[in-house]
Amino acid sequence: MNGLIVSVIVIFCFLYTANSIPYDYWTVRAQILTSEQKSMLGGQLDFKHDERIANDFLMTRKRAEFENAFKNSSLFLPGRNFLEARTDIKNSEVYKIIRTMPKGAVLHAHDTALVSADWIFWNVTFRPNLYVCESSKGLLQLRFFEKPDDNCSWKLLSDLRKNKSIVDTINSKIYKQMTMLTKNPEVDYKDVDKAWSKFIQIFAFITPMLTYKPVYEDHYYEALKDLYMDNIMYIEIRSTLPNLYELNGTVYSSLETAMVYKKTTERFMSDYPNFVGAKLIYAPSRKVDEKKFDEYLTILKALKEKYPTFLAGFDLVGQEDKGQPLIVFANKLRSLDPSIDYFFHAGETDWYGSSTDENLIDAVLLGAKRIGHGYALTKHPLVMEIMKQRGIAVEVNPISNQVLSLVKDFRNHPAAYLFANNFPVVVSNDDPGLWGSKALSYDFYLAFMGIMSQNSDLRALKQLALNSIMYSNMDVEQKNNALVVWKKKWCDFIEQLVNSSQAQQI
Amino acid sequence: MNGLIVSVIVIFCFLYTANSIPYDYWTVRAQILTSEQKSMLGGQLDFKHDERIANDFLMTRKRAEFENAFKNSSLFLPGRNFLEARTDIKNSEVYKIIRTMPKGAVLHAHDTALVSADWIFWNVTFRPNLYVCESSKGLLQLRFFEKPDDNCSWKLLSDLRKNKSIVDTINSKIYKQMTMLTKNPEVDYKDVDKAWSKFIQIFAFITPMLTYKPVYEDHYYEALKDLYMDNIMYIEIRSTLPNLYELNGTVYSSLETAMVYKKTTERFMSDYPNFVGAKLIYAPSRKVDEKKFDEYLTILKALKEKYPTFLAGFDLVGQEDKGQPLIVFANKLRSLDPSIDYFFHAGETDWYGSSTDENLIDAVLLGAKRIGHGYALTKHPLVMEIMKQRGIAVEVNPISNQVLSLVKDFRNHPAAYLFANNFPVVVSNDDPGLWGSKALSYDFYLAFMGIMSQNSDLRALKQLALNSIMYSNMDVEQKNNALVVWKKKWCDFIEQLVNSSQAQQI
């Protein structure tokens, strides 16, 4: 708690007696507001001259959106479901500014979920050797083959598309199986389980097609490009490290998949020198038995040996409520080489007091460097205190939490508490490709407009960018380098806003 | 922060170094869980022998509901809208136990909104001299007259009901105008403004009918009976103190309306001696100009003079976002006789950083004894700290917040944070009659099952009951008397649960 806050409390709680108000009302009121501003995310940053002009330009637009929405709350974009509000968000002036802002790093995102369904549809499904078959449940499967196996009655997709009477149906079916987009999100994804059921189906559908090695490389390269174009400079990507394949039947190990990430990152960095890098978080499914978990650990150790710096660490993925809680694997995880860092998903739930909820406790006790989601965090004051003391950041993914039905209206997102208290926090995007988002700007917009205070300003956005570098797994030298690149971009961004501001005044 | 919590933090944050874990994992884990339990609402109460048996009986039923719902979340009652879940809640074993529990006091409830639409329909609309007329907008108006005025084309309702071709239509129209109940709450009350629009219409419809003095008396008596039957023993009722009328044209002042409350309370207490009393919070509309506000203050001063102990204090009501913020009236309120207590609605909003949100600051600076709703409280760490230090309780009204569209799923209600931190809190019912609730048990059920931890137990419920007495406006003697009555009832309640538990084992 900062000094000003303490003094306000002292003034108010000890000098105040029930029958007299000895303090000056308006002075104390102003002090409380100032204290709250200072305690917020970004509240400890000072404006430099040009930043103040840029901030005014941003906040004029932010306030205009709020004023309209306060009069007519149906206009408030963060009060609607992202799946139907996203096209309107794209037109928001605040969103457009956030698009151009250098946002630093993406620290919570999943391998095959970063790129849009559009890209996969147009850039993957028209490739040669892609076969399709319909399962008994009416769901399609897609996979590349030189010569299809006998597990299904595979047909060459390009052949089927020649048939004009079915091409539209099949294309629309493929597209629908690749996206959470729907006209009735509140019916289709009425609760967490319903939303996750569709979410898991998408991964099951796209994985066999995307794990064809040449596609996997292109897909990851495209993911980096999307981020770069959105002014992101670094990523720590969580991957299950699936076994990739070639047409000739070759199947690659998880270690070789990691190599694809490493080499593709290097290729991207040589194409786009301002992109400062990527690291890998090995993050297989949490819904496994001990035997399978031991296999993970074998892979993890091998990864650490082969990619000591490219590997950031370990995590477990999948619907937390339905998978194994961390406690099941705690003893094994404690015995691991302590140089392997943890970035556990924990508390991605609204079941207060459940085993999922308790994952937050195990995550900090296991020494996690960051915590994924931590949606349930505000219910655990002691875990929050430990995280604050130890600088363990929480990775908040606003859109993900809404699409996967944890929260309906962003104004109810518990991260409001974290932002109000300048908690160590980063904002990330989780699986943008699966719900019609793109890179990070939509999540930043919704955090800024839907979860933070109306008074949170450019400094809050700047703090998010700085946090994303500070709480990354980069070493000191890498962080310093990243900060140099970021600061240059930040100055350009401010200059650009100042120019826009001046252009407007002419 | 209690001693155990501090020691856990010390152990964890200072002895732990990144490359070694010197503490015993399972001991520290258990300590964290224990600390969290101790920090929770009710966590500082100890079980007496019989309470433990009663608690086991309760918690077996609580856990069974959670286990079913964790497997199939569509079964989770607090995850659904109360307007459609209420009939299922009625069958819950946990709800049935809560019904029989002595819950103490209701400290946040509004005059004409306590009694069910059913009661008003059957006990008021069939009285003689009730006239009906249809406005240009197709809405009905109802009012008692000896001889109707010329403002509308009034018809005697009993006459219209003799016409069999229209009686069903008119009855159904009347009923619909008295209740928020609907088959599609999520469509009809899509946002706060839509919900409030209907909510205000109900008050506008029932007020002219209920303010007929004999009806007003019966209605308030019925409200007390509903509460008493639900094992409530005391109420602080907020009233706009509307002008009551007689058939002969007599109109009563607000002061005379207050007398109706006082006398009816006394009559009720002589009929039901275990009901320990009521106090009045004068709470007129916040959507007024300074001139009207001055009239309020004149009435308030007169009330204080005439009913120095029956009057608890002052508040302002109506949709907070659309009315005047407290700051507008702050100077006038500061200059009032300090023996008049305040119980302001504040922060009944999800607009973080708005003027409504800032009402929380003015409420504490004006010396409010309790705060109504405080839905936005968790966004204001400094206000929370002041409230905790000064023992200012927040009145949480779970169902109200859902029906009026602040929150969809109770698991996202911010009071979870307050419960986790044993914040000074009471649970109340606001306007149960308007949304098909009854007295307080449904709100207790939803707080206990939907907002608190799965591990919150009988002690949390007991603490809520104790808080409702402790944070009431009763004087020390009244509180002691109330506690004596309550403790006797509590012992009966525990005995009854123990008997049920034993009966089950036979």
Side-chain angles (χ1 to χ4, degrees):
Chain A
M1 218 173 261
N2 68 43
L4 183 53
I5 295 188
V6 172
S7 72
V8 171
I9 294 178
V10 168
I11 289 171
F12 193 73
C13 295
F14 298 97
L15 299 183
Y16 179 144
T17 57
N19 291 330
S20 67
I21 306 186
Y23 59 86
D24 180 74
Y25 188 92
W26 302 105
T27 307
V28 176
R29 191 182 194 280
Q31 278 182 340
I32 291 180
L33 282 170
T34 308
S35 287
E36 287 199 344
Q37 284 283 334
K38 281 206 184 256
S39 308
M40 276 181 197
L41 181 82
Q44 284 162 20
L45 296 177
D46 290 320
F47 285 121
K48 287 162 207 163
H49 174 68
D50 278 356
E51 283 183 343
R52 198 174 288 281
I53 299 169
N55 186 57
D56 288 345
F57 186 79
L58 169 71
M59 292 304 281
T60 306
R61 279 142 194 82
K62 177 169 179 172
R63 272 190 288 267
E65 281 190 33
F66 272 103
E67 273 159 31
N68 282 335
F70 195 62
K71 278 179 224 146
N72 178 355
S73 58
S74 70
L75 294 176
F76 190 58
L77 299 172
R80 290 160 52 192
N81 192 295
F82 177 75
L83 298 179
E84 55 101 9
R86 69 198 180 102
T87 46
D88 292 330
I89 294 174
K90 210 173 177 175
N91 296 322
S92 147
E93 294 298 318
V94 174
Y95 171 76
K96 287 176 192 165
I97 294 171
I98 288 173
R99 269 290 277 171
T100 64
M101 171 189 154
K103 287 171 284 289
V106 157
L107 300 184
H108 187 115
H110 295 275
D111 45 18
T112 52
L114 274 163
V115 175
S116 70
D118 278 354
W119 186 88
I120 299 176
F121 184 81
W122 293 109
N123 288 280
V124 180
T125 76
F126 287 90
R127 297 195 188 197
N129 297 308
L130 184 61
Y131 284 78
V132 61
C133 108
E134 192 161 349
S135 77
S136 56
K137 288 179 187 164
L139 291 174
L140 298 183
Q141 296 180 58
L142 290 174
R143 194 188 191 281
F144 290 92
F145 290 104
E146 200 164 71
K147 191 175 162 296
D149 62 29
D150 299 330
N151 294 335
C152 203
S153 58
W154 296 104
K155 295 196 177 68
L156 198 60
L157 179 56
S158 56
D159 282 350
L160 291 185
R161 277 179 168 151
K162 285 177 193 147
N163 182 341
K164 286 194 176 143
S165 69
I166 59 163
V167 61
D168 288 347
T169 313
I170 205 159
N171 281 342
S172 134
K173 231 174 164 177
I174 288 172
Y175 196 90
K176 276 187 192 151
Q177 274 187 236
M178 296 198 305
T179 181
M180 301 282 292
L181 289 175
T182 164
K183 281 179 188 147
N184 299 303
E186 283 163 32
V187 176
D188 295 352
Y189 312 134
K190 204 176 161 62
D191 56 48
V192 169
D193 291 349
K194 281 213 175 85
W196 268 87
S197 159
K198 168 72 181 178
F199 185 62
I200 289 167
Q201 263 180 23
I202 297 173
F203 280 108
F205 177 62
I206 61 179
T207 301
M209 162 172 56
L210 296 184
T211 47
Y212 173 37
K213 193 178 174 228
V215 169
Y216 206 78
E217 289 167 345
D218 291 357
H219 179 270
Y220 176 55
Y221 191 93
E222 182 66 20
L224 296 179
K225 214 163 104 188
D226 261 2
L227 296 176
Y228 186 76
M229 293 304 167
D230 195 45
N231 293 294
I232 304 297
M233 51 194 281
Y234 172 81
I235 181 173
E236 284 173 13
I237 191 163
R238 281 162 164 91
S239 176
T240 59
L241 297 180
N243 298 122
L244 308 184
Y245 65 91
E246 300 278 10
L247 287 186
N248 65 10
T250 308
V251 173
Y252 297 100
S253 71
S254 290
L255 264 80
E256 288 163 312
T257 306
M259 184 56 88
V260 169
Y261 278 108
K262 191 163 183 292
K263 290 217 162 140
T264 309
T265 303
E266 285 158 4
R267 177 158 60 92
F268 188 84
M269 286 170 72
S270 86
D271 295 346
Y272 300 91
N274 274 334
F275 192 81
V276 303
K279 288 199 181 205
L280 179 70
I281 297 169
Y282 175 43
S285 165
R286 69 185 320 124
K287 207 174 177 176
V288 293
D289 56 20
E290 296 226 10
K291 188 166 161 280
K292 186 73 189 167
F293 189 76
D294 289 340
E295 290 175 28
Y296 292 166
L297 296 188
T298 308
I299 293 171
L300 178 60
K301 287 171 198 164
L303 286 166
K304 184 68 191 172
E305 203 177 306
K306 194 164 176 191
Y307 311 101
T309 55
F310 182 62
L311 182 82
F314 184 67
D315 184 16
L316 290 164
V317 301
Q319 186 178 358
E320 220 180 314
D321 290 333
K322 305 286 178 190
Q324 301 279 17
L326 289 175
I327 191 175
V328 172
F329 305 123
N331 277 333
K332 285 181 198 286
L333 289 164
R334 287 167 65 209
S335 66
L336 239 61
D337 171 3
S339 74
I340 295 175
D341 288 333
Y342 297 139
F343 303 89
F344 293 121
H345 278 71
E348 185 185 3
T349 189
D350 49 15
W351 289 111
Y352 181 13
S354 66
S355 60
T356 317
D357 195 54
E358 288 184 11
N359 278 341
L360 285 164
I361 297 171
D362 291 292
V364 294
L365 285 180
L366 290 166
K369 296 292 175 204
R370 295 192 306 266
I371 283 178
H373 293 287
Y375 187 85
L377 202 52
T378 54
K379 294 157 183 166
H380 297 273
L382 192 45
V383 175
M384 281 198 287
E385 189 56 37
I386 293 171
M387 288 176 73
K388 212 163 179 174
Q389 297 271 352
R390 296 192 56 77
I392 303 168
V394 58
E395 302 156 350
V396 173
N397 303 286
I399 301 173
S400 169
N401 296 153
Q402 191 197 47
V403 174
L404 294 174
S405 273
L406 274 178
V407 66
K408 187 186 174 190
D409 185 321
F410 284 103
R411 286 171 294 182
N412 280 315
H413 196 293
Y417 176 89
L418 306 177
F419 293 142
N421 289 280
N422 195 21
F423 195 84
V425 62
V426 295
V427 166
S428 198
N429 55 0
D430 210 7
D431 308 279
L434 267 51
W435 41 69
S437 181
K438 203 176 179 68
L440 187 58
S441 290
Y442 286 106
D443 283 284
F444 259 52
Y445 173 84
L446 289 161
F448 186 59
M449 297 295 289
I451 310 179
M452 292 182 200
S453 170
Q454 291 179 25
N455 303 315
S456 293
D457 58 22
L458 186 64
R459 292 171 302 166
L461 294 172
K462 187 180 181 181
Q463 189 71 60
L464 281 184
L466 290 170
N467 283 359
S468 76
I469 295 169
M470 185 166 26
Y471 295 110
S472 77
N473 197 249
M474 288 187 276
D475 64 28
V476 176
E477 194 184 336
Q478 286 169 321
K479 281 183 187 176
N480 285 340
N481 171 44
L483 271 175
V484 169
V485 178
W486 179 83
K487 276 182 186 160
K488 165 82 183 64
K489 282 175 175 282
W490 182 259
C491 290
D492 293 348
F493 165 66
I494 296 298
E495 195 185 324
Q496 183 189 320
L497 285 185
V498 170
N499 289 343
S500 302
S501 175
Q502 284 165 347
Q504 198 186 30
Q505 284 160 17
I506 290 165
Chain B
M1 218 172 261
N2 68 41
L4 184 53
I5 294 189
V6 173
S7 71
V8 171
I9 294 178
V10 168
I11 289 169
F12 193 73
C13 294
F14 299 98
L15 300 182
Y16 179 141
T17 56
N19 290 329
S20 67
I21 306 184
Y23 59 86
D24 180 74
Y25 189 94
W26 302 104
T27 307
V28 176
R29 192 182 193 281
Q31 279 182 339
I32 291 179
L33 282 170
T34 307
S35 289
E36 288 199 344
Q37 284 282 335
K38 281 207 182 257
S39 308
M40 276 182 196
L41 181 82
Q44 283 161 20
L45 298 177
D46 289 322
F47 286 121
K48 289 163 204 161
H49 174 69
D50 278 356
E51 283 183 343
R52 198 175 288 280
I53 299 168
N55 186 57
D56 288 345
F57 187 78
L58 169 71
M59 292 303 281
T60 306
R61 277 141 194 84
K62 177 169 179 172
R63 271 189 288 269
E65 282 190 34
F66 273 103
E67 271 160 32
N68 281 335
F70 195 63
K71 279 179 223 146
N72 178 357
S73 56
S74 70
L75 294 177
F76 190 57
L77 298 173
R80 289 159 55 190
N81 192 294
F82 177 74
L83 298 179
E84 56 101 11
R86 69 198 181 103
T87 45
D88 291 331
I89 294 174
K90 210 173 177 173
N91 296 322
S92 147
E93 293 299 319
V94 174
Y95 172 76
K96 288 176 192 164
I97 294 170
I98 288 173
R99 269 290 277 170
T100 65
M101 171 187 154
K103 287 170 283 290
V106 158
L107 299 183
H108 187 115
H110 295 275
D111 44 18
T112 52
L114 273 163
V115 175
S116 70
D118 278 354
W119 187 88
I120 299 176
F121 184 82
W122 292 109
N123 288 281
V124 180
T125 78
F126 286 89
R127 297 196 188 198
N129 297 307
L130 184 60
Y131 285 79
V132 60
C133 109
E134 191 159 351
S135 78
S136 55
K137 287 180 190 165
L139 291 175
L140 300 182
Q141 296 179 59
L142 290 174
R143 197 189 188 281
F144 290 92
F145 290 104
E146 200 164 71
K147 191 176 162 297
D149 61 27
D150 299 331
N151 295 335
C152 203
S153 57
W154 295 105
K155 296 194 176 71
L156 197 60
L157 180 55
S158 55
D159 282 351
L160 290 186
R161 277 181 168 149
K162 285 176 193 148
N163 182 342
K164 286 196 176 144
S165 68
I166 59 164
V167 60
D168 287 345
T169 313
I170 205 161
N171 281 342
S172 133
K173 235 177 161 173
I174 288 172
Y175 197 89
K176 275 187 192 153
Q177 275 187 235
M178 297 198 304
T179 181
M180 303 281 292
L181 288 175
T182 164
K183 280 180 188 148
N184 298 302
E186 282 164 32
V187 175
D188 294 351
Y189 313 134
K190 203 178 162 59
D191 57 47
V192 170
D193 292 350
K194 282 213 175 88
W196 269 87
S197 159
K198 169 72 181 177
F199 185 60
I200 289 167
Q201 264 180 23
I202 297 174
F203 280 107
F205 177 63
I206 61 178
T207 300
M209 164 172 53
L210 296 185
T211 48
Y212 173 37
K213 193 177 175 229
V215 168
Y216 206 77
E217 288 166 346
D218 291 355
H219 180 269
Y220 175 55
Y221 191 94
E222 181 66 20
L224 295 179
K225 212 163 102 185
D226 260 1
L227 295 176
Y228 187 76
M229 293 305 167
D230 196 43
N231 293 295
I232 304 296
M233 51 193 280
Y234 172 83
I235 182 173
E236 283 173 17
I237 191 163
R238 281 162 164 92
S239 176
T240 60
L241 296 180
N243 298 121
L244 307 184
Y245 64 91
E246 299 280 11
L247 287 187
N248 65 11
T250 308
V251 172
Y252 298 100
S253 70
S254 290
L255 263 80
E256 288 164 310
T257 306
M259 185 54 89
V260 169
Y261 278 108
K262 191 164 181 292
K263 290 217 163 142
T264 309
T265 303
E266 284 159 5
R267 178 158 59 92
F268 188 84
M269 285 168 73
S270 86
D271 295 348
Y272 298 92
N274 273 334
F275 192 80
V276 303
K279 288 199 179 203
L280 180 69
I281 297 170
Y282 175 42
S285 165
R286 68 187 320 125
K287 208 175 176 176
V288 293
D289 57 19
E290 296 226 10
K291 188 166 159 282
K292 186 75 190 166
F293 189 76
D294 288 340
E295 291 174 26
Y296 291 167
L297 295 189
T298 308
I299 294 171
L300 179 60
K301 286 170 198 164
L303 286 165
K304 183 69 191 172
E305 204 178 304
K306 193 164 177 189
Y307 311 101
T309 55
F310 182 62
L311 182 81
F314 184 67
D315 184 15
L316 291 163
V317 301
Q319 187 178 359
E320 220 180 314
D321 289 334
K322 305 287 179 191
Q324 301 279 18
L326 289 175
I327 191 175
V328 171
F329 306 124
N331 277 333
K332 285 181 199 287
L333 289 164
R334 286 166 65 208
S335 66
L336 240 61
D337 171 4
S339 74
I340 295 175
D341 287 332
Y342 297 140
F343 303 89
F344 293 121
H345 279 71
E348 186 185 2
T349 189
D350 50 13
W351 289 111
Y352 181 13
S354 66
S355 59
T356 318
D357 194 54
E358 287 183 11
N359 279 341
L360 285 165
I361 296 172
D362 291 292
V364 293
L365 285 181
L366 289 166
K369 297 292 174 205
R370 295 192 305 267
I371 284 179
H373 292 289
Y375 187 85
L377 201 52
T378 54
K379 294 156 181 168
H380 297 274
L382 192 44
V383 175
M384 281 197 288
E385 189 56 36
I386 292 170
M387 289 177 71
K388 212 162 178 174
Q389 298 272 350
R390 292 190 60 76
I392 303 168
V394 59
E395 302 156 350
V396 173
N397 304 287
I399 300 172
S400 169
N401 297 151
Q402 191 198 47
V403 174
L404 294 174
S405 272
L406 273 178
V407 66
K408 188 185 171 190
D409 185 320
F410 284 103
R411 286 171 293 182
N412 279 316
H413 196 294
Y417 177 88
L418 305 177
F419 294 141
N421 289 279
N422 195 21
F423 195 83
V425 62
V426 295
V427 166
S428 198
N429 55 359
D430 208 8
D431 308 278
L434 267 52
W435 41 68
S437 182
K438 203 176 181 67
L440 187 58
S441 289
Y442 286 107
D443 282 284
F444 259 53
Y445 173 83
L446 288 161
F448 187 58
M449 297 296 288
I451 311 180
M452 291 181 199
S453 169
Q454 291 179 25
N455 303 316
S456 293
D457 58 22
L458 186 65
R459 293 171 301 165
L461 294 171
K462 186 179 182 184
Q463 189 71 61
L464 282 184
L466 290 170
N467 283 359
S468 76
I469 295 169
M470 184 165 27
Y471 295 111
S472 76
N473 197 248
M474 288 187 276
D475 64 27
V476 176
E477 195 183 336
Q478 287 169 320
K479 281 183 188 177
N480 285 340
N481 171 45
L483 271 175
V484 169
V485 178
W486 179 83
K487 276 183 186 159
K488 164 83 181 67
K489 282 176 173 282
W490 182 259
C491 288
D492 293 348
F493 165 66
I494 296 298
E495 195 184 325
Q496 182 188 324
L497 284 186
V498 171
N499 290 343
S500 303
S501 175
Q502 284 165 347
Q504 198 186 32
Q505 283 161 19
I506 291 164

